[in-house]
Amino acid sequence: QLFKQIRKNEIRSIVSLQLWWLNRMLATPAPLQEKMAFFFHGHFTTAAIQKGVSPAMVYNQNQLFRVNALGNLRELTRAVSKDPAMLLYLDNATNVAAHPNENYARELMELFTLGVDRYTEDDVRESARAWTGWRVLRLRGGAYFNAALHDGGSKTFLGRRGNFDGDDIVDIIFAQPQCARFFATSLLGLFVYDN
């Protein structure tokens, strides 16, 4: 019974959050910023309630998109990679050196930055190793890095070799010409024509 009540409260919170955001989009004094926050919400996708992602985490992620909506894409990608909602939704909060989880590493390249067939399975494995060690404080909704759970060994990723962490992975991805093409195509689809 308690679980059903908690679930009902979470669903009410999600609906309230959706209504708040729709009203904000209608009445905002900064429509471009809000449009870009909406774009990034769909681009760097997560879902509330699934995998322990709370409505508060989704709100905080929405604020992250809004604050960075017109800023540096690399810095936004770094920040969303460490965001509690993203860490939980794409299983990076369970990614440890002993058992690297490849889910976020794959989606970072395939859906978020490079596109399909622009990396190898080895790149996925090495990126997953680089992202190990991130944890989520569920009650507070924050994230932190636990160095004891991180794979500090040398990695080879997209042709480069080194003792990479997640920030290094993002830097290497953004050095790829395909990354610029990927984002340019996405933004052209949003603002000009989607074919």
Side-chain angles (χ1 to χ4, degrees), residues 1 3 41 49 55 59 62 74 77-78 97 109 111 122 125 166 182:
Q1 192 70 338
F3 178 75
H41 171 75
I49 300 180
Y59 171 81
N62 181 277
R74 178 179 17 212
T77 303
R78 280 184 178 156
M109 291 181 284
L111 297 180
D122 286 338
R125 282 188 285 280
F182 182 84

Side-chain angles (χ1 to χ4, degrees), residues 4-184:
K4 284 183 182 180
Q5 185 59 44
I6 291 171
R7 184 93 170 145
K8 282 182 185 179
N9 289 343
E10 284 185 327
I11 290 169
R12 271 192 232 119
S13 294
I14 292 168
V15 170
S16 295
L17 181 59
Q18 290 170 336
L19 292 173
W20 167 83
W21 196 12
L22 287 170
N23 284 323
R24 182 179 175 108
M25 284 190 273
L26 289 170
T28 183
L32 178 59
Q33 180 185 31
E34 213 55 47
K35 183 174 183 120
M36 291 306 297
F38 185 70
F39 168 77
F40 288 124
H41 171 75
H43 183 82
F44 294 109
T45 187
T46 56
I49 300 180
Q50 294 182 15
K51 298 185 180 180
V53 177
S54 71
M57 288 178 189
V58 173
Y59 171 81
N60 290 336
Q61 187 182 71
N62 181 277
Q63 288 297 100
L64 173 71
F65 294 145
R66 184 170 293 105
V67 168
N68 293 280
L70 302 175
N72 185 295
L73 283 170
R74 178 179 17 212
E75 294 308 313
L76 174 59
T77 303
R78 280 184 178 156
V80 77
S81 295
K82 301 167 191 172
D83 176 72
M86 183 63 75
L87 287 168
L88 289 172
Y89 185 66
L90 288 179
D91 306 315
N92 219 28
T94 60
N95 188 6
V96 297
H99 301 286
N101 186 306
E102 298 175 2
N103 197 15
Y104 182 72
R106 183 178 311 282
E107 302 302 358
L108 174 64
M109 291 181 284
E110 185 171 317
L111 297 180
F112 302 160
T113 59
L114 296 174
V116 179
D117 298 329
R118 302 297 181 163
Y119 56 88
T120 68
E121 287 303 308
D122 286 338
D123 292 325
V124 173
R125 282 188 285 280
E126 297 293 272
S127 176
R129 291 178 57 215
W131 282 107
T132 55
W134 282 94
R135 307 308 279 157
V136 172
L137 298 164
R138 289 181 189 259
L139 294 178
R140 287 193 197 153
Y144 68 98
F145 179 74
N146 182 337
L149 300 174
H150 177 68
D151 182 336
S154 185
K155 302 153 191 88
T156 302
F157 177 72
L158 292 176
R160 297 201 33 209
R161 186 161 179 76
N163 183 7
F164 301 136
D165 64 13
D167 286 343
D168 297 320
I169 295 299
V170 171
D171 287 344
I172 294 167
I173 288 171
F174 272 79
Q176 307 300 307
Q178 174 56 26
C179 184
R181 285 190 290 271
F182 182 84
F183 275 107

